[in-house]
Amino acid sequence: MMSDPGPPTELAYPALLNGIDYLFSVTDLLNGPDPEPRALKFAVLHLQAATEVLLKAGLAGIDWRLVFAKPEEADETSYRTGDFASCGIADTIKRLREHGVAISPEEKGAITALSKERNKLQHFGATLSAAAIEARAGVVLEILMRFINTHLWRGVDADHIDAYGEDMEMILTSVPRIRGYATARMTQLAPELEPFKDTTLRCPACSMWAVVAEGDDSYCRLCSTYWEHEKALLVDYAVGVLGLSVKDVLEDNGGAQGCPECQSHSLLTEVYLADTPDKPRSFCFNCVRPFDGLGTCTRCTLPFLPEGNGDLVCNDCWTAALTSD
């Protein structure tokens, strides 16, 4: 159990103000309808930096030791000098949630996808289109502005608010403009997507409802991100939308499951579709089919479609049991 909050909360102020600086840079870099590739690159890098700084500032406001990679080894001198290894973004979100900070799976997915893109960008160069970066930036900017207003801004003294109030106002007015491209394009795409709402997913790259799952050869109608195979889309969706890790997806318990229709190991039990955007459903990325009311076989533990009330065993296991008898 942790007690004694330790260093005063004002130590979080520099982190907050540093994060606001990064956000201001992002909106400045994305100013205009056609940002240059270099501007897009630094927008991703600065937005990821802002995300880490601001979320950790929120964590420090709860207990400064939670920012350490190993809280049990935290010491005040290291914290004050910044000479310590801090927790990663996944642990930051986990610890915030454990202390009552509401971060939805969708928000976690958007932040996780941004972190993943930043890592690829640093090592391999740009991998997303301008449309994807702008759309993703708009989503994460909105998340961070809400986080600042809800969890950080109230504790800041008047002098700091006055110093950065103008930047905050400019950031707030820039977010709708940055998201405006994606919003306008989605309006144009609406007639094209309407017939496929029951198989349309939120895009892991740009976060818009614009991926019509087609097994192989799926792509986002907005940002043109392409998935050659259904497993690639499944993994990116689980990471970029649901906020899972690749390890989570590949694990037998809670990850991809066998589909009761096509038997492919391509079923996720929590997927959101455009026709029911707030309802988690099971969905097979191979046969491109949503399922409601799947049961778990008590014998083989795989998902199955019950054929009657109270079914506990799938047809395959039932048949096998009859044959063995």
Side-chain angles (χ1 to χ4, degrees):
M1 294 292 293
M2 290 186 178
S3 59
D4 177 19
T9 55
E10 63 262 22
L11 286 178
Y13 291 176
L16 168 60
L17 304 180
N18 192 29
I20 292 173
D21 274 340
Y22 277 125
L23 293 182
F24 184 81
S25 173
V26 172
T27 59
D28 188 50
L29 289 164
L30 297 180
N31 184 31
D34 297 302
E36 295 293 327
R38 185 173 183 274
L40 293 169
K41 177 180 74 173
F42 281 103
V44 172
L45 297 177
H46 289 184
L47 185 56
Q48 173 63 16
T51 302
E52 293 188 16
V53 166
L54 293 169
L55 293 184
K56 289 177 185 178
L59 204 55
I62 297 169
D63 189 318
W64 60 276
R65 288 166 292 193
L66 292 171
V67 182
F68 282 68
K70 296 181 179 180
E72 67 276 11
E73 298 178 4
D75 71 90
E76 185 174 335
T77 300
S78 296
Y79 181 68
R80 288 183 178 278
T81 60
D83 184 20
F84 66 94
S86 64
C87 56
I89 197 71
D91 280 337
T92 300
I93 293 173
K94 179 181 178 182
R95 293 173 189 182
L96 285 168
R97 283 173 158 178
E98 288 173 347
H99 286 79
V101 177
I103 297 176
S104 70
E106 182 177 288
E107 290 172 335
K108 182 187 176 186
I111 293 168
T112 302
L114 174 68
S115 179
K116 180 180 176 183
E117 185 58 33
R118 188 280 307 270
N119 292 339
K120 290 192 296 183
L121 179 63
Q122 285 189 322
H123 296 290
F124 305 108
T127 56
L128 287 181
S129 67
I133 291 173
E134 288 182 307
R136 174 68 66 191
V139 171
V140 176
L141 278 167
E142 285 186 339
I143 293 170
L144 294 179
M145 295 304 286
R146 287 197 299 270
F147 187 81
I148 290 172
N149 289 329
T150 304
H151 301 288
L152 300 178
W153 205 238
R154 292 178 182 176
V156 179
D157 60 53
D159 290 340
H160 283 102
I161 290 177
D162 290 341
Y164 280 80
E166 186 176 340
D167 285 352
M168 285 288 288
E169 286 297 321
M170 292 188 69
I171 295 167
L172 282 168
T173 57
S174 295
V175 172
R177 172 183 54 76
I178 291 172
R179 296 207 65 177
Y181 170 83
T183 302
R185 183 75 180 109
M186 286 301 296
T187 300
Q188 295 174 342
L189 286 170
E192 176 185 337
L193 294 170
E194 180 63 30
F196 307 104
K197 292 180 72 172
D198 59 344
T199 57
T200 296
L201 310 166
R202 188 182 290 278
C203 177
C206 70
S207 199
M208 298 294 108
W209 292 94
V211 177
V212 179
E214 299 184 62
D216 295 337
D217 301 319
S218 297
Y219 72 98
C220 177
R221 270 44 171 189
L222 177 73
C223 70
S224 301
T225 302
Y226 170 73
W227 293 271
E228 185 175 2
H229 193 271
E230 87 276 358
K231 291 292 177 62
L233 176 57
L234 183 154
V235 171
D236 277 0
Y237 180 87
V239 172
V241 177
L242 301 181
L244 303 176
S245 68
V246 174
K247 180 181 178 182
D248 292 333
V249 182
L250 299 179
E251 284 182 349
D252 289 335
N253 184 19
Q257 303 287 317
C259 172
E261 180 69 21
C262 69
Q263 284 72 57
S264 172
H265 208 68
S266 301
L267 181 88
L268 289 181
T269 55
E270 183 188 4
V271 172
Y272 298 86
L273 301 168
D275 63 338
T276 53
D278 298 319
K279 176 185 177 182
R281 307 173 74 186
S282 296
F283 184 79
C284 177
F285 285 74
N286 181 56
C287 63
V288 193
R289 176 179 170 181
F291 296 92
D292 294 307
L294 286 184
T296 300
C297 176
T298 56
R299 187 161 184 168
C300 68
T301 72
L302 296 177
F304 76 106
L305 278 171
E307 295 185 359
N309 293 330
D311 287 356
L312 299 177
V313 179
C314 69
N315 281 336
D316 288 344
C317 288
W318 181 254
T319 301
L322 291 176
T323 303
S324 63
D325 292 340

